[in-house]
Amino acid sequence: MNKIARISILLASSTLLFFGLLHLHGTFFSTDLHPQSLDLTARLKSSHIQMDVSGNLWKLWIGFNAMFSAGLIFIGSINLYLSAKHFQILSDRPFIGLLTIATNVFFVWIGYQYMINAFVLSMSVPLLLFVIGFVLIPGKPRISNEK
């Protein structure tokens, strides 16, 4: 079970890392995340939020996408590193797995509520793999200090 758990977490982590890098590329090096309407892009570049006029909607759009990319890259990288080099840490500390799963559940929910179907699917795959991996990590017997 430990080997299957590790492989599942490695696959999930690699998937998140891949989508984070893909999203970063789409944010800065392509027009994939740009509106189809050039008029809308121009309006976003000239529209500001009420909180601060320096926050135009276009820069905020790019910034939020870049931060989301960084989050995916971080979660994927840290779990990839831990599952590849320090699997015992993941085995001994279920909080990391629970936080990873909770974050991925949030990604799927956000995708379902506000984004495109391809995003929901791309976040559901690593979520499923993380759940399988972290569930299959064998529990460590607890030693009682009571006498």
Side-chain angles (χ1 to χ4, degrees), residues 35-102:
Q36 283 185 331
S37 166
L38 295 178
D39 181 52
L40 178 57
T41 302
R43 287 183 23 225
L44 289 171
K45 288 180 178 181
S46 65
S47 297
H48 303 277
I49 60 171
Q50 292 181 21
M51 181 190 300
D52 185 343
V53 295
S54 69
N56 81 50
L57 288 171
W58 181 253
K59 286 184 178 181
L60 292 169
W61 170 252
I62 297 298
F64 285 124
N65 276 289
M67 285 191 297
F68 176 68
S69 301
L72 288 177
I73 292 166
F74 177 78
I75 295 167
S77 297
I78 199 71
N79 278 286
L80 186 64
Y81 174 75
L82 289 174
S83 59
K85 300 287 185 183
H86 301 284
F87 191 71
Q88 196 60 43
I89 291 174
L90 293 178
S91 299
D92 293 345
R93 292 166 184 86
F95 178 75
I96 296 169
L98 291 172
L99 187 57
T100 298
I101 290 169

